[in-house]
Amino acid sequence: DVESGKQRGEPLIGHTDRVTGVAFSKNGELLASSSDDTTMRLWDVESREQHGEPLSGHPGQVAGVAFAPDGKLLASASADDTVRLWDVESTRLRGEIKTLDDHKDRVWGVAFAPDGKLLASASEDGTVRLWDVESGTLHRKPLDDHKDKVEGVAFSPDGKLLASAGEDGTVRLWDVESGEQRGEPLRGHGGEVRGVAFSPDGKLLASASADKTVRLWDVESGTPHGKPLEGHNDEVRGVAFSPDGKLLASAGGEDNKVRLWDVESGTPHGKPLEG
């Protein structure tokens, strides 16, 4: 519970290995989770019961999941170098996104464009790829300016920009229509960047890093917005804005804490969430 900082209900138990990612459907009725046990699971948020059978088919660990905006599709990123699309209602594979120009190494993250027509994927092979969701084919050549693996991707709310988080310590912004990098890389982190998230109004970008900090960036100028958010005792794996954009959540990798931050002031909001 964000207001009280207390755990709401019992943990959702079912995975047999580390849980690597979670995503809510847009209507908030379902929660998807991915795991190193090679499965994804869907959970009914109200009842906290598992929704259908586990989604299985990846022969490798599943690193992340994302719902399409209409909630009908779920995308998964896997260590088997593939991205897969699943039909949420039937929990069956809709078709594997794979071409001759597929990723050459494990896929770490996936994100749907706001209109649901494009899917972005981030990979260990150092590239970001854009896919046409309807056909399952590459939308254009890979975005390959990062110097090392890419762990996270996020579309801006208007779908015009794509942000990518690189192990090279940079965040990069891409023009979705042209596929060209917009401006210079966002530099400042002292370690690998693990995840990125746009604020709901698209004006700010948050980045999570192995340097134990979260940073906020002004999207228009590409400059830092305020000071780094410090408090985690180990790497930060992911970030997410609240729907009103006033709060930012950050997930610690080894300190086992989720922290909430007041975006306007850049200060902690309440105590860390532990459990």
Side-chain angles (χ1 to χ4, degrees):
D1 184 280
V2 173
E3 190 61 36
S4 66
K6 295 180 179 179
Q7 186 172 304
R8 193 167 158 184
E10 294 299 312
L12 308 182
I13 298 175
H15 284 295
T16 58
D17 207 329
R18 181 178 64 162
V19 179
T20 56
V22 287
F24 279 104
S25 60
K26 190 172 182 178
N27 62 13
E29 294 178 0
L30 292 177
L31 178 73
S33 56
S34 59
S35 172
D36 281 351
D37 67 10
T38 75
T39 73
M40 288 73 61
R41 294 173 189 251
L42 293 173
W43 309 86
D44 183 284
V45 174
E46 185 65 30
S47 68
R48 283 175 169 67
E49 298 293 328
Q50 194 167 300
H51 180 81
E53 295 297 313
L55 284 65
S56 59
H58 280 294
Q61 301 158 323
V62 187
V65 284
F67 276 100
D70 62 7
K72 294 181 179 180
L73 293 178
L74 183 75
S76 56
S78 175
D80 63 18
D81 309 349
T82 70
V83 175
R84 298 186 185 218
L85 285 173
W86 308 82
D87 181 87
V88 172
E89 186 174 352
S90 67
T91 65
R92 292 181 179 177
L93 192 63
R94 179 180 180 267
E96 183 180 353
I97 297 180
K98 191 172 183 179
T99 71
L100 294 176
D101 292 320
D102 202 357
H103 283 295
K104 304 300 188 291
D105 210 327
R106 69 169 58 207
V107 185
W108 286 101
V110 283
F112 281 96
D115 62 6
K117 294 180 179 180
L118 294 179
L119 179 73
S121 54
S123 173
E124 184 98 9
D125 66 14
T127 71
V128 174
R129 296 179 189 240
L130 289 171
W131 309 87
D132 181 277
V133 172
E134 185 62 33
S135 66
T137 58
L138 277 174
H139 181 64
R140 62 165 47 87
K141 67 178 183 178
L143 312 180
D144 58 2
D145 287 357
H146 279 288
K147 307 306 180 186
D148 211 319
K149 71 180 179 181
V150 188
E151 291 203 30
V153 282
F155 281 94
S156 61
D158 62 9
K160 294 181 179 180
L161 291 177
L162 180 72
S164 57
E167 193 170 83
D168 59 10
T170 70
V171 175
R172 295 173 190 253
L173 292 172
W174 309 85
D175 183 281
V176 172
E177 185 175 349
S178 69
E180 298 296 324
Q181 188 171 307
R182 200 190 89 164
E184 293 297 314
L186 309 184
R187 303 181 187 276
H189 281 297
E192 300 94 334
V193 185
R194 303 296 195 195
V196 283
F198 280 94
S199 61
D201 62 8
K203 294 181 179 180
L204 294 178
L205 180 72
S207 55
S209 174
D211 67 7
K212 307 179 186 179
T213 73
V214 173
R215 291 180 182 248
L216 291 171
W217 309 86
D218 181 277
V219 173
E220 184 63 33
S221 66
T223 56
H225 178 84
K227 296 181 179 179
L229 309 182
E230 299 177 330
H232 283 287
N233 299 319
D234 207 291
E235 65 178 4
V236 189
R237 299 291 308 186
V239 280
F241 281 92
S242 61
D244 62 9
K246 294 181 179 180
L247 292 179
L248 180 72
S250 58
E254 299 298 330
D255 67 6
N256 301 327
K257 294 180 177 66
V258 172
R259 293 176 182 262
L260 294 174
W261 309 87
D262 182 280
V263 173
E264 185 175 352
S265 65
T267 57
H269 178 85
K271 295 181 180 180
L273 310 182
E274 302 182 65

